[in-house]
């Protein structure tokens, strides 16, 4: 495991050189947040609470989901390029697993992306709607849930990315995946606002364990629900890790790199 | 008899490629009924490489050398045939084999561009699960050998190409590989840097008995480093042997560079071609299968007052180019 930690570390050091990229990406997200704050302010007109969320909780929720989802790295693009263009060769001649190498890369990228977006967004949200009753003791649990959410998201994305062994471009699959995260994953609005039946279904699908549950835990920490969320996250990570490794196992056998 | 570290037997790789006709209709057709064609990239090749050998493995673009190397490093699965590299079947034990091999791709750096080379070295020490004490010793040795002490803490982007290549080589040697795959190790370097890299590769080969498989389009790399050359073309091995023998086998032509006291007025002999001439000098190509070189020189000396004469072989790149052209 040490080598994957070191791969993550060197990527982290390297990504710091691209801090400007993270900064400008976060600036754009601030603009989106600004628009959403105003929309929600209109929706909250005359109401203190909607489905258990005050406006402050709603905005911090939104900041949290945005910070997770938009911190996404370019795994699909990289894997696509490596498989289709043949650069995978330069990964496969080292004694590490291709998928775990990308996991280390993605997590270091997303750690920076999340922290930058969340920190900058927190200032804006604080100024516009103020704080909420945050449980400081929940921080370690929240960190674990974020880490699991990012790992789960990675394995789902990687399962799509590795389809590049069969398909020329997997970006369209990614597009659909993103839309699931935005909607039934709870990125744009909490699942409580959905009709009951849709909320129930979305609540057990893997997408909500990437965006909705971590954000909900952040704004409304609940020890009883914490364990359930972690169990679901680990379960889904297991399922999608097995899926990704299986796709890789079969895909790598049909690797078609000509030339040279 | 020395043991083989690489053994390849009847190795074959067939790629399936999709063919598409031009235009919109072509695209529709390729979706409904894709035209899949087979391309034989490597066609039944066999060879053995002994421990400590430096072998040039060359061929024109698309000849199959890169595909062969990818199979030997376990990256590609062959369609049929066998290979044993350092006692392992590469495609079954890719990760295990990776501990025993090093590779340098001149066109694909493995160093982190924005970070000092030492960061990459440290990372590789973990990737290869090296004992940290042994790694430090190894690193010190290589840093001394490659004279890198002053630059390992400088971000790679600020290094010259030659310095970068030295660091690339050091990165590939940290795990004490038994086999080194060198793909265009001197590409883009100036003459001095090329010479230095070649010297270091040679020194390493002699000191550590590391087996080297070199692919390069630079014939100087091949001539200076390798005794043996394997030439692959259209997926088949067309030559496997000493470079000297390659000269004897394919060098039917010699070049006579000659200077005269009198103006040069040509020479009319079967098998002799004037490549270039000036008033008092000429370069003459002699086909030794048609006429002995001695006969040509005798004839020139008889006809002219010769000031100076040099006989040379056709440059190796021309020999190789001629082999590449053969179907």
């Amino acid at each position: 495991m040490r080598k994957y930690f070191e791969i993550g570390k060197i990527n982290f050091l390297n990504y710091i050189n691209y801090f400007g990229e993270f900064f400008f990406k976060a600036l754009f997200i601030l603009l989106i947040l600004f628009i959403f704050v105003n929309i929600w302010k209109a929706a909250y007109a005359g109401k203190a609470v909607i489905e258990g969320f005050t406006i402050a909780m709603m905005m911090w929720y939104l900041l949290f989901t945005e910070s997770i989802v938009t911190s996404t790295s370019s795994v699909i693009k990289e894997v696509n390029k490596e498989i289709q263009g043949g650069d995978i060769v330069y990964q496969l001649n080292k004694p590490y697993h291709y998928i775990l190498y990308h996991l280390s890369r993605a997590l270091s990228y997303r750690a920076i992306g999340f922290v930058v977006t969340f920190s900058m967004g927190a200032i804006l949200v604080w100024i516009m709607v103020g704080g909420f009753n945050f449980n400081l003791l929940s921080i370690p649990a929240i960190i674990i849930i974020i880490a699991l959410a990012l790992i789960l998201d990675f394995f789902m994305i990687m399962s799509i990315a590795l389809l590049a062994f069969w398909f020329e471009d997997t970006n369209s699959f990614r597009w659909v995946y993103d839309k699931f995260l935005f909607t039934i994953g709870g990125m744009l609005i909490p699942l409580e606002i959905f009709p009951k039946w849709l909320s129930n279904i979305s609540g057990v699908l893997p997408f909500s364990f990437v965006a909705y549950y971590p954000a909900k835990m952040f704004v409304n920490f609940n020890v009883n629900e914490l364990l359930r969320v972690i169990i679901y996250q680990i379960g889904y990570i297991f399922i999608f890790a097995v899926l990704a490794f299986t796709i890789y196992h079969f895909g790598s056998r049909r690797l078609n790199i000509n030339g040279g | 008899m020395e043991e083989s570290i690489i053994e390849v037997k009847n190795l074959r790789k067939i790629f399936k490629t999709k063919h598409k006709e031009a235009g919109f209709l072509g695209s529709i057709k390729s979706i409904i009924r894709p035209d899949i064609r087979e391309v034989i990239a490597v066609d039944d090749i066999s060879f053995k490489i002994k421990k400590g050998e430096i072998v040039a493995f060359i061929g024109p673009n698309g000849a199959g050398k890169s595909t062969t190397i990818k199979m030997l490093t376990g990256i590609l699965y062959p369609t049929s045939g066998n290979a044993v590299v350092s006692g392992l079947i590469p495609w079954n034990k890719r990760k295990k084999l990776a501990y025993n091999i090093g590779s340098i791709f001149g066109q694909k750096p493995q160093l982190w561009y924005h970070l000092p080379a030492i960061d990459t070295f440290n990372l590789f020490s973990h990737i290869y699960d090296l004992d940290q004490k042994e790694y430090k010793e190894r690193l010190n040795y290589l840093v001394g050998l490659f004279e890198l002490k002053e630059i390992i803490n400088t971000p790679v982007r600020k290094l010259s190409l030659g310095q970068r290549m030295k660091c690339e080589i050091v990165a590939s040697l940290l795990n004490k590989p038994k086999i080194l795959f060198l793909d265009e190790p001197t590409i883009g370097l100036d003459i001095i840097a090329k010479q230095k890299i070649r010297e270091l590769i040679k020194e390493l080969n002699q000191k550590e008995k590391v087996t080297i498989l070199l692919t390069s389009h630079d014939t100087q790399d091949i001539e200076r480093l390798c005794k043996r050359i394997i030439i692959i073309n259209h997926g088949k091995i067309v030559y496997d042997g000493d470079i000297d023998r390659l000269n004897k086998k394919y060098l039917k032509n010699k070049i006579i560079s000659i200077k005269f006291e009198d103006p040069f007025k040509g020479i009319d002999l079967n098998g002799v071609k004037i490549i270039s001439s000036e008033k008092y000098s000429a370069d003459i190509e002699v086909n030794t299968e048609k006429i002995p070189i001695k006969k040509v020189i005798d004839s020139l000396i008889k006809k002219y007052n010769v000031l100076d004469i040099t006989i040379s072989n056709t440059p190796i790149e021309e020999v190789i180019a001629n082999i590449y052209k053969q179907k």
Side-chain angles (χ1 to χ4, degrees), chain B residues 164-193:
Chain B
R164 269 184 228 174
M165 188 46 73
K166 279 184 180 179
C167 293
E168 289 283 341
I169 297 175
V170 167
S172 298
L173 293 170
L174 291 169
N175 60 320
K176 290 190 186 166
K178 291 178 187 156
I179 305 165
L180 200 55
F181 291 96
L182 297 178
D183 186 4
E184 303 284 358
T186 62
I187 197 162
L189 303 185
D190 63 43
I191 296 166
I192 306 287

Side-chain angles (χ1 to χ4, degrees), chain A residues 156-227:
Chain A
M156 288 200 278
I157 291 173
M158 194 44 133
S159 301
I160 296 170
L162 290 169
L163 294 176
F165 283 117
W166 291 270
F167 297 94
E168 276 173 26
D169 190 357
T170 52
N171 276 304
S172 48
F173 300 113
R174 169 66 190 267
W175 190 87
V176 175
Y177 172 77
D178 280 347
K179 300 306 162 280
F180 277 127
L181 270 190
F182 292 175
T183 53
I184 55 174
M187 187 193 98
L188 293 172
I189 44 172
L191 302 190
E192 283 84 347
I193 294 175
F194 290 170
K196 187 87 180 145
W197 64 271
L198 184 58
S199 168
N200 288 342
I201 294 171
S202 306
V204 290
L205 290 177
F207 311 105
S208 56
F209 291 92
V210 172
Y212 168 73
Y213 285 108
K216 197 184 167 204
M217 282 287 155
F218 174 67
V219 294
N220 189 12
F221 187 71
N222 179 332
V223 181
N224 296 329
E225 205 174 3
L226 172 72
L227 196 64

Side-chain angles (χ1 to χ4, degrees), chain B residues 121-319:
Chain B
F121 297 158
N122 290 340
L123 171 70
F124 278 24
S125 78
H126 293 290
I127 285 177
Y128 286 99
D129 300 315
L130 302 179
D131 174 83
Q132 285 303 299
K133 194 171 159 257
E134 280 175 26
Y135 157 64
K136 295 278 182 227
E137 283 167 13
R138 177 78 175 157
L139 181 65
N140 285 339
Y141 164 69
L142 291 171
V143 165
L145 183 67
F146 282 73
E147 296 163 359
L148 295 177
K149 205 172 175 203
E150 308 298 320
I151 59 164
I152 55 167
N153 289 306
T154 308
V156 171
R157 65 172 187 275
K158 293 189 175 165
L159 301 180
S160 71
L161 261 182
Q163 290 171 325
R164 269 184 228 174
M165 188 46 73
K166 279 184 180 179
C167 293
E168 289 283 341
I169 297 175
V170 167
S172 298
L173 293 170
L174 291 169
N175 60 320
K176 290 190 186 166
K178 291 178 187 156
I179 305 165
L180 200 55
F181 291 96
L182 297 178
D183 186 4
E184 303 284 358
T186 62
I187 197 162
L189 303 185
D190 63 43
I191 296 166
I192 306 287
K194 275 184 184 188
Q195 277 175 350
K196 186 72 191 164
I197 296 287
R198 286 178 197 136
E199 274 168 29
L200 289 165
I201 292 172
K202 209 156 192 172
E203 197 173 336
L204 265 159
N205 166 258
Q206 280 159 2
K207 278 188 178 163
E208 304 198 348
K209 294 279 169 242
V210 55
T211 308
I212 296 172
L213 200 59
L214 168 81
T215 54
S216 177
H217 289 295
D218 187 330
T219 47
Q220 290 285 317
D221 283 349
I222 297 163
E223 281 185 294
R224 299 279 158 86
L225 289 168
C226 311
K227 276 190 187 148
R228 181 180 163 196
I229 184 167
I230 298 175
I231 304 178
I232 186 168
N233 201 7
H234 304 294
K236 285 184 183 294
I237 289 177
V238 290
Y239 182 83
D240 179 0
D242 285 355
I243 291 188
D244 296 344
R245 263 188 39 224
L246 177 78
N247 287 338
K248 280 179 196 139
K249 189 175 174 184
Y250 289 93
L251 279 188
K252 293 170 180 94
N253 294 348
K254 294 262 178 194
I255 293 162
I256 301 174
S257 301
I258 191 159
K259 282 181 186 161
F260 310 98
E261 244 177 39
D262 334 304
F264 177 61
K265 289 174 187 151
I267 181 166
D268 190 19
L269 287 171
N270 189 24
V272 173
K273 198 172 102 188
I274 298 163
I275 304 169
S276 64
S277 68
E278 287 178 22
K279 198 172 180 186
Y280 293 101
S281 67
D283 285 335
I284 300 162
E285 192 178 71
V286 181
N287 184 334
T288 53
E289 274 191 334
K290 289 186 180 166
I291 184 166
I293 193 105
K294 185 175 177 295
K295 210 170 171 184
V296 181
I297 293 168
D298 286 348
S299 164
L300 283 164
I301 291 172
K302 211 181 268 177
K303 202 171 170 186
Y304 300 102
N305 286 320
V306 173
L307 279 177
D308 187 24
I309 191 161
T310 315
I311 304 166
S312 58
N313 288 324
T314 310
I316 193 165
E317 56 255 39
E318 268 183 44
V319 179

Side-chain angles (χ1 to χ4, degrees), chain A residues 111-186:
Chain A
I112 302 174
F114 180 87
V115 170
V116 173
T117 308
F118 188 79
S119 315
M120 287 169 64
I123 298 167
L124 179 83
V125 173
W126 188 278
I127 292 167
M128 292 190 77
V129 293
F132 66 98
N133 195 16
F134 178 65
N135 182 352
L136 281 174
L137 293 174
S138 70
I139 290 175
I142 300 290
I143 291 172
I144 291 169
I145 290 178
I146 297 171
L148 291 173
L150 296 180
I151 294 170
L152 171 59
D153 190 33
F154 169 81
F155 278 115
M156 288 200 278
I157 291 173
M158 194 44 133
S159 301
I160 296 170
L162 290 169
L163 294 176
F165 283 117
W166 291 270
F167 297 94
E168 276 173 26
D169 190 357
T170 52
N171 276 304
S172 48
F173 300 113
R174 169 66 190 267
W175 190 87
V176 175
Y177 172 77
D178 280 347
K179 300 306 162 280
F180 277 127
L181 270 190
F182 292 175
T183 53
I184 55 174

Side-chain angles (χ1 to χ4, degrees), chain A:
Chain A
M1 282 321 277
R2 175 76 192 265
K3 66 178 79 175
Y4 297 107
F5 172 76
E6 294 293 333
I7 291 167
K9 195 172 94 181
I10 200 164
N11 277 290
F12 184 85
L13 294 174
N14 196 43
Y15 286 136
I16 288 175
N17 289 289
Y18 300 95
F19 188 79
E21 185 192 313
F22 290 99
F23 181 80
F24 286 108
K25 202 169 159 190
L27 270 186
F28 178 70
I29 293 154
L30 289 194
L31 178 71
I32 295 172
L33 274 172
F34 180 78
I35 295 166
F36 267 94
V37 170
N38 288 300
I39 293 171
W40 279 111
K41 271 185 176 169
Y44 270 91
K47 293 178 199 158
V49 175
I50 295 177
E51 299 292 343
F53 286 81
T54 62
I55 184 150
M57 283 166 77
M58 188 64 83
M59 292 327 301
W60 283 98
Y61 171 93
L62 192 64
L63 169 63
F64 204 91
T65 59
E66 289 276 353
S67 301
I68 287 183
V69 176
T70 62
S71 70
T72 189
S73 65
S74 48
V75 173
I76 291 253
K77 221 190 276 172
E78 280 174 27
V79 171
N80 217 71
K81 198 174 145 218
E82 282 168 0
I83 294 175
Q84 299 291 340
D87 274 7
I88 192 171
V89 171
Y90 308 113
Q91 308 295 341
L92 296 184
N93 62 5
K94 298 273 181 309
Y96 49 60
H97 198 287
Y98 180 69
I99 293 178
L100 297 180
Y101 167 81
H102 272 288
L103 174 65
S104 306
R105 257 175 88 83
L107 289 183
S108 57
Y109 181 90
R110 297 191 72 166
I112 302 174
F114 180 87
V115 170
V116 173
T117 308
F118 188 79
S119 315
M120 287 169 64
I123 298 167
L124 179 83
V125 173
W126 188 278
I127 292 167
M128 292 190 77
V129 293
F132 66 98
N133 195 16
F134 178 65
N135 182 352
L136 281 174
L137 293 174
S138 70
I139 290 175
I142 300 290
I143 291 172
I144 291 169
I145 290 178
I146 297 171
L148 291 173
L150 296 180
I151 294 170
L152 171 59
D153 190 33
F154 169 81
F155 278 115
M156 288 200 278
I157 291 173
M158 194 44 133
S159 301
I160 296 170
L162 290 169
L163 294 176
F165 283 117
W166 291 270
F167 297 94
E168 276 173 26
D169 190 357
T170 52
N171 276 304
S172 48
F173 300 113
R174 169 66 190 267
W175 190 87
V176 175
Y177 172 77
D178 280 347
K179 300 306 162 280
F180 277 127
L181 270 190
F182 292 175
T183 53
I184 55 174
M187 187 193 98
L188 293 172
I189 44 172
L191 302 190
E192 283 84 347
I193 294 175
F194 290 170
K196 187 87 180 145
W197 64 271
L198 184 58
S199 168
N200 288 342
I201 294 171
S202 306
V204 290
L205 290 177
F207 311 105
S208 56
F209 291 92
V210 172
Y212 168 73
Y213 285 108
K216 197 184 167 204
M217 282 287 155
F218 174 67
V219 294
N220 189 12
F221 187 71
N222 179 332
V223 181
N224 296 329
E225 205 174 3
L226 172 72
L227 196 64
R228 180 183 160 267
V229 172
I230 289 178
I231 289 170
Y232 263 91
Q233 283 182 318
I234 292 173
Y236 273 127
I237 286 171
F238 178 76
I239 291 168
F240 284 100
V242 168
L243 182 65
F245 280 98
T246 308
I247 294 172
Y248 177 80
H249 177 79
F250 289 107
S252 60
R253 273 155 181 73
R254 45 173 294 137
L255 190 59
N256 216 349
I257 311 163
N258 208 341

